[in-house]
Each structure stands twice: as C-alpha cells, then as structure tokens.
Amino acid sequence: MPFPPPVRRIVVADPAALAFTAAQRLLARIDANAGRVAIGLTGGSSPKQLYQLLASEAYSKRIPWDRVHWFIGDERFVPASDARNNMRMAREIFLDRFAPRGHIHPIPTDAADPDESARRYEHELKAFYGAGDLDPALPLFDLVLMGVGPDGHTASLFPDYPAITETKRWVVGVPKAHVEPFVPRVTLTLPALASCREMLFELAGEEKRAILTRLLAGENLPANRARSIGETVLLVDRAAAGGELRGG
C-alpha cells in the first residue's frame, strides 16, 4: 500500500511556500513543548530557504534559543569547514548567529573513522536523552527534518545497505555513499530518527517528481521505511507533485 497512514500529505505552491510551511510547523513544535526542545536538521539543498527564514528577524525572535537544541540526522565524513559538510549550511545561515554554542550538536567528523564518529554521537544523544534505550512515550526529538535522494535514500540510509536494518544502535558509520559525493557518512538509524513527535519530509522541484512517484507506488525504499512514532508529514511543492498528489 503506497505511503500508508499516518503520513499526512501537504502540497504547496512553490519552494517559498514550502519553506514557510516548514517554518510554521517547526515553530509549532517548539511552542508545544514548554521545556527543552530537540530539533533534527537535514543537509542538502532542500532546507536552505527554511534556514534563511529562521535567520530572519520575523522568525529568529520567535525562537526561544536558550531552550532549543539542534542536532543533525546524518553527516558526510569531511571536516566541518568542508563545503560538503551537511551542518555547515545551517551553522552559517542561522545556528552560529543565534544558538548558544552548547546547543549546537554536530556529528564529530574529527574522529578516526566514521564508526568512531558514530559511537561518539550516539553517546552524546544518549547523554542528552538521559537513557540508553528509547521510550516511545518520550521521543528524543520534537521534530526531525528529512530529505529524499534520487535513489530513495533518506539521511544516509541507502537502499540495500546494512544500516537500513539496524535496530539497536542509534548512529552508525556508512563506509561509502550510494550517490555523490562518494564519501563515507555517519547517520542516525531508523529507530533513532523515528523517535520524534514529527518527521517532516521536504521535496521541491521537478527533479523530485520521479522519486516521489516511486515513493507513492510503495517501493521498498529507505524513505518509505522512515516513519515517526508521532506524526509523519510529506511536504511537497507543485513542481515535485505534478499529478501525483492532490493535498493532505
């Protein structure tokens, strides 16, 4: 069955409307939690307009920076200064301007190898969470942003790779990517990503139409296996949707 419930589908006009809708949902999740908030960010080009909105005066003044922590769902195993680094864009656009340094949680790529990086980040996540096992009644994240690659991967969970079947570890190293750039990765696993109140997929542009068609056909792709224990939202613009979606 294609995209089984509880996925909610939202179609918007264009990338600007997609960024606006994503920002509103992110703010709503922050407002819904009066305590410490955890947001999982994503790399790639999809969230750039969202991050620019969060850096604007209209949005930045609405975020209680002193109680929001920022993580990332996956990282390319390259230095933090490398242009290919997933979290670099978010840091340059808004995080380093507004978030307290201790509230920014990048995946450490100064480790000896991706596996060591994964162990360190898993330790950090567990310390933040306060437990070694995930409790469905207490999600790790308030919101996790997700993208979808042309092969159906999400985070750095690639089709037919061992990482997709991991059930115990929260973070794993990926020796080689399935798509460019062909560098090792570090990624949260499906159980860790699922531990959120909302998982928000963003797809924009005609180049996403082919993979969206495959997702809606119910293919066994990583992006079709990634689901929140809370709410999962598929947010697309009309160029990506084409005739595939009519709204949620």
Side-chain angles (χ1 to χ4, degrees):
M1 184 172 68
F3 253 91
V7 176
R8 179 182 177 192
R9 306 169 188 173
I10 301 175
V11 182
V12 296
D14 52 35
L18 186 145
F20 172 81
T21 303
Q24 294 300 310
R25 298 191 71 86
L26 186 150
L27 288 174
R29 287 295 172 185
I30 292 175
D31 291 344
N33 184 350
R36 188 178 63 171
V37 176
I39 304 294
L41 301 174
T42 185
S45 59
S46 297
K48 185 174 183 178
Q49 288 194 49
L50 166 62
Y51 295 166
Q52 290 171 334
L53 269 185
L54 298 181
S56 69
E57 182 179 1
Y59 284 85
S60 62
K61 66 182 182 182
R62 296 174 58 187
I63 297 174
W65 298 98
D66 61 334
R67 62 183 184 87
V68 182
H69 289 253
W70 308 86
F71 296 85
I72 188 125
D74 74 308
E75 188 55 88
R76 295 155 178 173
F77 195 67
V78 296
S81 60
D82 193 301
R84 297 169 296 178
N85 184 277
N86 276 339
M87 206 165 193
R88 178 179 170 177
M89 179 173 66
R91 296 196 70 155
E92 289 182 344
I93 293 175
F94 77 99
L95 287 180
D96 287 343
R97 293 175 58 191
F98 300 104
R101 183 179 297 271
H103 289 211
I104 303 171
H105 303 270
I107 290 175
T109 57
D110 59 349
D113 53 50
D115 290 336
E116 174 61 24
S117 175
R119 285 190 290 270
R120 285 170 56 184
Y121 204 54
E122 180 167 324
H123 178 78
E124 183 172 356
L125 285 170
K126 288 181 176 180
F128 177 85
Y129 187 66
D133 296 304
L134 293 166
D135 180 355
L138 184 65
L140 170 60
F141 299 107
D142 291 270
L143 181 139
V144 172
L145 296 171
M146 304 283 274
V148 181
D151 59 347
H153 81 266
T154 192
S156 282
L157 298 168
F158 298 101
D160 301 321
Y161 276 35
I164 197 70
T165 62
E166 179 61 48
T167 59
K168 294 184 178 180
R169 289 179 292 175
W170 296 17
V171 191
V172 296
V174 179
K176 183 179 179 181
H178 190 254
V179 296
E180 292 185 351
F182 296 105
V183 296
R185 311 287 182 99
V186 181
T187 185
L188 271 65
T189 59
L190 287 178
L193 291 167
S195 184
C196 60
R197 300 186 187 280
E198 179 174 338
M199 181 179 287
L200 179 61
F201 285 91
E202 295 181 276
L203 285 84
E206 289 185 9
E207 65 274 15
K208 294 294 185 179
R209 189 177 299 177
I211 192 59
L212 178 61
T213 298
R214 294 177 62 192
L215 291 174
L216 295 175
E219 287 193 34
N220 185 25
L221 298 170
N224 260 348
R225 297 176 63 175
R227 292 291 182 269
S228 170
I229 59 174
E231 183 177 15
T232 303
V233 177
L234 175 64
L235 177 60
V236 303
D237 71 356
R238 288 176 184 165
E244 297 293 339
L245 290 173
R246 299 299 180 187

